[in-house]
Amino acid sequence: GAASLKDNSFNAFVRNNKIVVVADIASEKTAQINEYNVNGMLVASDKVTGSVEKTLNANLATGVYFVQIQNDGKLITRKIVK
């Protein structure tokens, strides 16, 4: 895993109408993933450790979402169009 969160260690995309997050976090670290709608409302959240692929809240309407991952004080945001 990565020593700490790097920009290329986190990605989010749509597959089968679901938002999927892929992250590579150092095994001893835990990262917080938050998903927000275009109005800034939190619609899903999860914690991840290590190399993972997770499906976030699958029952969301079509629209624009922002997926953020936070680890060791670093925050990365990805914009997703579902």
Side-chain angles (χ1 to χ4, degrees), residues 12 29-30 36 38 50 57 75:
K29 303 285 185 185
T30 300
Y36 299 91
V38 73
N57 191 341
L75 181 70

Side-chain angles (χ1 to χ4, degrees), residues 6-77:
K6 294 183 175 67
D7 196 53
N8 64 357
S9 65
F10 170 61
N11 202 4
F13 54 90
V14 176
R15 180 172 61 206
N16 298 329
N17 204 33
K18 298 174 183 163
I19 295 178
V20 177
V21 172
V22 178
D24 184 15
I25 308 301
S27 59
E28 72 279 2
K29 303 285 185 185
T30 300
Q32 176 71 39
I33 295 177
N34 293 320
E35 181 181 357
Y36 299 91
N37 66 16
V38 73
N39 297 319
M41 187 172 104
L42 181 66
V43 294
S45 65
D46 207 339
K47 293 188 185 305
V48 296
T49 303
S51 294
V52 294
E53 179 174 315
K54 282 192 110 44
T55 301
L56 295 177
N57 191 341
N59 299 318
L60 296 172
T62 300
V64 176
Y65 295 90
F66 297 92
V67 181
Q68 291 183 331
I69 190 167
Q70 186 167 8
N71 173 266
D72 278 348
K74 181 163 173 127
L75 181 70
I76 300 172
T77 303

